[in-house]
Every structure is written in structure tokens, then in C-alpha cells.
Amino acid sequence: MSFLNISKKRFLVCGLGNRRSVAWAVGQTLEEAGAEVIYTIRNDKRAGELKKLLKERPFLLCDVEYEDDIATLGERVREEYGELDGFVHSIAFANFSEGLVPFHETKRKDFLQATQISAFSLVELSRSLKPVLKPDASVVAIGISSSVTAANYGYMSPIKNALEGCVRFLAKSFSKDSEIRFNSVNAGPLRTKSSAGIPGYLDNYLYAEQLTYRKRALTTQEVADTVVYLLSPRSSGINAQGIVVNAGMDWNYFDESVVEKASRPELSRGNSDA
């Protein structure tokens, strides 16, 4: 038996979007450990785009923007696959089609849409899937490191904070009649396809890399490894927590090399007038 003890267990990974996504890395890691993985995909169009990637892997369509899609998901899982040992919420959306605006100029419809998709959908999915979750199942949501409050992340920072709040309240709510655990993995900046759509994200990503103790950016696989551990029985004592995975960047604001470049900008430009 492997350390994780998840062989033959069944997990639902919600929000597969592409090969570079956290959802795909989590699914692959689970499969490598011998687990059965079912994916949810937003719609038929996305499923067609992922056909070569998925091959014969099982999946269900579920667009969390539509209440009916979520409401029927639990029953569809039961009919086609049976009970679950846990599920992963790797879903986020923000409308940046009009470019980045100051936070106080965020439109109501954009904020509410992003909140429903990125945060409240965890509550809705948990409610729908509760009948098919085993009494000791584990649920993991993908959040962001508390240090990610950059202006160009826009209104997604407070929405991801709302997601983490939902995790804690779900843990309390489900504890009334089960030992189902809820946790989030709060990742530092990652190079994913979805992050590429955030205005100015690359500059912040490169800056965050310099703030890590190791001077090497966080990888999607490192986030996935933490998610899989939280899904496993080995993490049974962890509940209602936000596990930060960012290679130490939130404790390294005053890194000597970064401070030097900021206080002597000519160094970063390679300028030498002396």
C-alpha cells in the first residue's frame, strides 16, 4: 500500500480547461497513485477541444453558471459512477474583456458573475454532491496565496477570499452529520493558460519568482501534489484550512536582491554611469 492510500478511490475533478490547468495536474497525479478520476467540463465545445487530451477518460458536462447543471450533477454521478471519496473545485472566471479598471470601478454584474462562478459554486456543488460523498470524503478548492493582492488581479482577490470563507463554513456545516473535510490550497502565481488572460500578470509572476526563497517559480505540479495529499486519508487531521503553497514568497518581501533593485533601479536596467 502506498503512503497516500488512494488506490481504487474515486474522485471528481471539477473545472478541467486545458493541459496546463491545475485540474489536469491534479487528475494526472491521482491517476498515477491508482485513483479513479472523473472530470467535469464546462460544455460540449470545451469537451471537443479536450478530446485528444482526455482520450477515454470519463467526464460529465457541468457549467456552474447554470443552476440546473449543478443541481443534477450529484444524481448523474450516482447513476454513472457511484459514490465519491472527494472532489476538487478548480473553477474561476473573471470578465476582463474591457481591460483592467480600478477596483472601485468594478461593475456589479461582473463582480456577481465572478463570485457565483469562482466562489459560491463550491457551495452549490457541495450541496449537489453531498448524497454521493462518502462520510469521510475530502473536498479541496484552489485558492490564491494571501499575498496575491496585486491591482492587476482585479476583483478576483476578494472573490478568492470569499472562496476560502466558503471552505470554512462548509467544513462546519457538513460536520453536523459527517466527517467530510473541506480545505483550500492557496497558490502563489502560476503560469497557466487562464492566468495569461489577466492584464499585466506576467510582470507580477516574474516578480513573485524573485521573492521566493529559491528564486524559482512555483509549479502547477507542486500545487497538485498538495491537493492530492489533502484528498488522501493521510491528511485526515486537516480541516477548514487554507494551505499556502508559494515557495515562501509571502515571508520574503525584503529579499536583499529585490530591495537593491528597487532602491537602485539602474541595476535592473544594466545601467552603469559611475
Side-chain angles (χ1 to χ4, degrees), residues 108-199:
R108 176 189 294 214
K109 64 179 180 65
D110 290 339
F111 189 86
L112 293 180
Q113 180 190 38
T115 300
Q116 190 279 314
I117 294 173
S118 308
F120 190 67
S121 64
L122 175 64
V123 180
E124 295 178 300
L125 286 168
S126 299
R127 181 169 61 244
S128 178
L129 294 170
K130 190 175 189 294
V132 295
L133 289 172
K134 292 183 180 179
D136 60 347
S138 176
V139 178
V140 182
I142 309 302
I144 60 171
S145 167
S146 58
S147 56
V148 183
T149 56
N152 67 353
Y153 204 58
Y155 51 85
M156 282 303 294
S157 283
I159 290 173
K160 283 292 189 176
N161 286 336
L163 174 68
E164 192 169 355
C166 290
V167 164
R168 295 195 177 104
F169 277 83
L170 283 165
K172 177 67 174 177
S173 183
F174 272 58
S175 71
K176 301 298 182 183
D177 58 4
S178 77
E179 294 188 8
I180 297 173
R181 297 179 293 118
F182 289 80
N183 294 289
S184 65
V185 173
N186 301 336
L190 294 169
R191 292 198 72 170
T192 62
K193 188 174 181 179
S194 58
S195 67
I198 301 174

Side-chain angles (χ1 to χ4, degrees), residues 13 33 43-44 47 50 89 92 94 101 105-106 131 151 165 170 174 190 207 210 217 225 250 254 262 268 270:
V13 177
N43 52 36
D44 281 319
L50 295 171
H89 179 282
V101 299
E105 294 182 11
T106 302
L170 283 165
F174 272 58
L190 294 169
Y207 173 68
Q210 293 307 305
D225 289 343
D250 53 342
F254 297 106
S268 61

Side-chain angles (χ1 to χ4, degrees), residues 148-153 189 198-210 249:
V148 183
T149 56
N152 67 353
Y153 204 58
I198 301 174
Y201 185 88
L202 180 59
D203 288 339
N204 282 354
Y205 172 85
L206 295 173
Y207 173 68
E209 182 173 45
Q210 293 307 305
M249 62 167 283

Side-chain angles (χ1 to χ4, degrees), residues 25-51:
V26 169
Q28 291 299 283
T29 307
L30 285 169
E31 287 181 11
E32 290 169 6
E36 177 185 349
V37 181
I38 307 155
Y39 295 94
T40 72
I41 300 173
R42 184 179 179 184
N43 52 36
D44 281 319
K45 179 182 178 182
R46 183 60 54 86
E49 295 168 350
L50 295 171
K51 185 175 181 179

Side-chain angles (χ1 to χ4, degrees), residues 15 43 57 91 165 259 263:
N43 52 36
R57 291 178 174 88
I91 302 170
V259 170
S263 58

Side-chain angles (χ1 to χ4, degrees), residues 20-85:
R20 292 172 57 189
S21 66
V22 173
W24 180 248
V26 169
Q28 291 299 283
T29 307
L30 285 169
E31 287 181 11
E32 290 169 6
E36 177 185 349
V37 181
I38 307 155
Y39 295 94
T40 72
I41 300 173
R42 184 179 179 184
N43 52 36
D44 281 319
K45 179 182 178 182
R46 183 60 54 86
E49 295 168 350
L50 295 171
K51 185 175 181 179
K52 290 184 179 179
L53 182 66
L54 285 167
K55 298 180 180 177
E56 300 301 318
R57 291 178 174 88
F59 69 90
L60 294 166
L61 297 180
C62 183
D63 187 338
V64 298
E65 196 166 6
Y66 297 100
E67 193 171 0
D68 287 347
D69 271 22
I70 300 178
T72 61
L73 181 61
E75 190 56 38
R76 286 184 283 147
V77 169
R78 181 188 296 280
E79 290 176 355
E80 297 189 40
Y81 305 105
E83 290 186 312
L84 298 174
D85 293 282

